[in-house]
Amino acid sequence: MKHKLDFVTETLEKIKTRNLYRKLQDNRVQGPYILFKKKKLINLCSNDYLGLGNSKISNMQLQSSSRLVAGNDFSFSILEKKLARHKSQESALIFPTGYMANLGSIPVLARKDDLILSDELNHASIIEACRLSDAKISVYKHNDNEDIRKKIRQKANRKFIITEGIFSMNGDFADLKKISEVAEKNDALLVLDDAHGDFVAGRDGKGSAEKFGVAKKIDVYVSSLSKGLGAFGGYIASRDKIIDLTVNASRPFIYTSALPSFIVDLALKRFSSKREKRRKKLWNNVKMIQNGLESIGYTFNSSSQIIPIIIGSEKKTMEFGKYLFDEGVFAQPIRYPTVALGSARIRLSVTALLTREHIERSLDIFESAGKKFRIL
Ligand SMILES: Cc1ncc(COP(=O)(O)O)c(C=O)c1O
């Protein structure tokens, strides 16, 4: 007899046989380390790139209401003004997460008869946001300007190009100089999700577009407060009228509870903290790890704090990750559907919290892992 939940068991079995099964593991982050039960590992998986997420905050008050009702604590507008200035835009709008910032902005602007050009490696939240709009979606080859030029010729009412700044699973920068040229020539709106470049790349951590001198060419910035800023939440930054329309038409903005004000206070506190020294330390650490990995014999195409070691096989990648774990390094194996099947990888993320000793120890472990799994 079939049970009505047999399909759940069967789906889980299928995931397991493809080596794609995921399981939540209890852990606690402690400075540069991560604790699993009694095991303490060097954390090479943090998005808290500057290590700002380390300090605690009190005064935890919850308002539990939508921002358009009673949830708009005055701290939101203080932070939004700072974020707008940070991005050299007229206004900013905070969302509960970066994921929701994409869901809540792209469908407000892109409509039926419009065309969205989206990088094939764009984050799941961008993909989902494009699907929520009624626009035609045309996926272009990763960072391939020729493909964008070809695809943008399609007939459409309005045209959009959407890309990440630093690609979250590859660690490479979008070719924003060229992409912004094509956008300008075709009168297309350019949307940049800079979740990983914001507060990390460019002058004063203003982000990837600033790094390439094209900050003014971006029409809508989408970003996260949970990564480089070490706080929590997401935001968009753009012209006044785009923010105004978003407040009025964005379902993920209107129909959900506001972030608790203590989270906004936390983000404000992080925003005013001295971040430059940490940014310098982060980029020194990035250089040290990248040079170290290269001198051991690893190859990768990253120019940022996100470094993918592509192994290919899902099974081998899981075993590689387990070896690193047993030796004292936490670096998450990344598999389908986060990346394409057969392109499983170990994704390192570097933070400013790592010392020279952590890095040297990690490199030793990566060297022995590379030899053991014959990928060097
Ligand atoms: C490119 C990109 N956009 C958006 C997000 C979502 O940000 P958040 O974690 O704040 O929801 C992520 C998170 O990993 C991301 O990598």
Side-chain angles (χ1 to χ4, degrees):
M1 264 283 275
K2 269 227 168 243
H3 186 274
K4 65 181 178 186
L5 290 182
D6 279 354
F7 78 99
V8 176
T9 318
E10 284 157 16
T11 310
L12 279 169
E13 278 313 312
K14 263 192 212 147
I15 293 174
K16 283 180 188 166
T17 53
R18 296 167 80 198
N19 293 304
L20 299 174
Y21 183 64
R22 285 140 160 100
K23 203 167 170 355
L24 289 168
Q25 279 181 291
D26 289 347
N27 62 51
R28 176 145 299 176
V29 172
Q30 218 173 62
Y33 301 104
I34 180 163
L35 312 181
F36 289 90
K37 293 197 179 114
K38 284 191 180 139
K39 207 163 160 61
K40 184 173 177 180
L41 301 106
I42 299 171
N43 188 4
L44 292 187
C45 270
S46 174
N47 285 334
D48 177 17
Y49 301 126
L50 302 185
L52 291 164
N54 237 354
S55 62
K56 296 204 168 68
I57 186 155
S58 54
N59 181 28
M60 293 199 247
Q61 201 184 318
L62 281 166
Q63 68 271 39
S64 287
S65 178
S66 156
R67 283 189 64 187
L68 281 172
V69 185
N72 201 37
D73 188 88
F74 60 83
S75 51
F76 278 99
S77 65
I78 300 174
L79 180 57
E80 283 167 348
K81 282 199 182 83
K82 285 183 190 287
L83 291 169
R85 215 172 309 131
H86 165 68
K87 288 313 215 189
S88 306
Q89 293 286 321
E90 291 172 359
S91 285
L93 189 68
I94 296 169
F95 283 78
T97 64
Y99 198 110
M100 288 180 75
N102 273 319
L103 296 191
S105 57
I106 294 168
V108 167
L109 300 170
R111 316 232 180 114
K112 195 167 174 307
D113 300 325
D114 291 348
L115 171 71
I116 297 177
L117 299 190
S118 174
D119 190 290
E120 65 180 333
L121 296 191
N122 273 347
H123 187 258
S125 57
I126 304 176
I127 297 170
E128 218 59 42
C130 294
R131 286 180 185 152
L132 273 182
S133 79
D134 289 323
K136 178 178 176 196
I137 304 160
S138 188
V139 176
Y140 61 85
K141 287 190 205 131
H142 177 50
N143 225 352
D144 185 335
N145 208 41
E146 276 318 300
D147 203 29
I148 302 178
R149 277 182 209 278
K150 223 186 312 165
K151 295 203 155 101
I152 208 162
R153 288 193 208 122
Q154 297 170 75
K155 267 208 162 355
N157 183 20
R158 268 178 301 271
K159 297 179 183 178
F160 294 78
I161 303 177
I162 307 184
T163 179
E164 293 186 28
I166 295 178
F167 284 87
S168 60
M169 294 300 137
N170 272 36
D172 53 339
F173 281 91
D175 190 350
L176 288 173
K177 263 206 159 105
K178 288 202 175 134
I179 294 174
S180 60
E181 265 173 40
V182 186
E184 201 163 27
K185 261 195 196 140
N186 291 276
D187 208 21
L189 276 103
L190 181 52
V191 180
L192 176 67
D193 177 342
D194 204 19
H196 297 275
D198 205 6
F199 306 104
V200 164
R203 184 174 46 90
D204 299 331
K206 285 176 181 292
S208 308
E210 205 283 334
K211 176 179 163 75
F212 295 108
V214 293
K216 292 225 161 66
K217 314 259 173 182
I218 309 297
D219 294 293
V220 182
Y221 283 98
V222 181
S223 186
S224 173
L225 302 171
S226 315
K227 303 181 197 299
L229 193 64
F232 191 88
Y235 75 96
I236 63 170
S238 187
R239 297 206 183 102
D240 283 337
K241 58 183 159 205
I242 288 186
I243 301 299
D244 203 11
L245 179 63
T246 309
V247 169
N248 283 278
S250 166
R251 296 165 73 85
F253 177 79
I254 301 169
Y255 299 106
T256 197
S257 301
L259 273 181
S261 58
F262 70 86
I263 302 257
V264 184
D265 287 342
L266 173 74
L268 271 169
K269 194 173 149 197
R270 301 279 190 259
F271 200 93
S272 346
S273 62
K274 292 204 165 57
R275 287 176 276 127
E276 264 325 278
K277 234 170 105 181
R278 292 196 183 231
R279 263 185 7 93
K280 277 208 182 94
K281 176 88 184 334
L282 167 66
W283 286 104
N284 280 340
N285 282 352
V286 169
K287 207 160 121 197
M288 210 190 305
I289 292 206
Q290 291 212 353
N291 289 346
L293 286 169
E294 269 166 359
S295 72
I296 296 167
Y298 283 102
T299 52
F300 44 85
N301 181 26
S302 155
S303 26
S304 75
Q305 75 281 12
I306 297 169
I307 308 166
I309 309 271
I310 298 175
I311 295 175
S313 142
E314 282 74 28
K315 186 162 182 280
K316 197 168 173 184
T317 306
M318 291 306 286
E319 287 164 2
F320 195 101
K322 164 90 172 52
Y323 177 86
L324 296 176
F325 187 97
D326 291 343
E327 294 297 312
V329 162
F330 187 56
Q332 185 74 26
I334 306 284
R335 291 163 292 165
Y336 177 84
T338 310
V339 294
L341 263 183
S343 77
R345 65 200 62 185
I346 298 290
R347 172 189 182 270
L348 318 186
S349 53
V350 182
T351 72
L353 291 173
L354 299 171
T355 61
R356 178 178 284 277
E357 290 70 37
H358 293 133
I359 292 172
E360 283 170 357
R361 170 98 189 100
S362 302
L363 288 170
D364 285 346
I365 295 169
F366 267 93
E367 183 165 22
S368 60
K371 284 183 183 145
K372 181 174 163 63
F373 289 89
R374 298 174 188 277
I375 60 166
L376 286 180

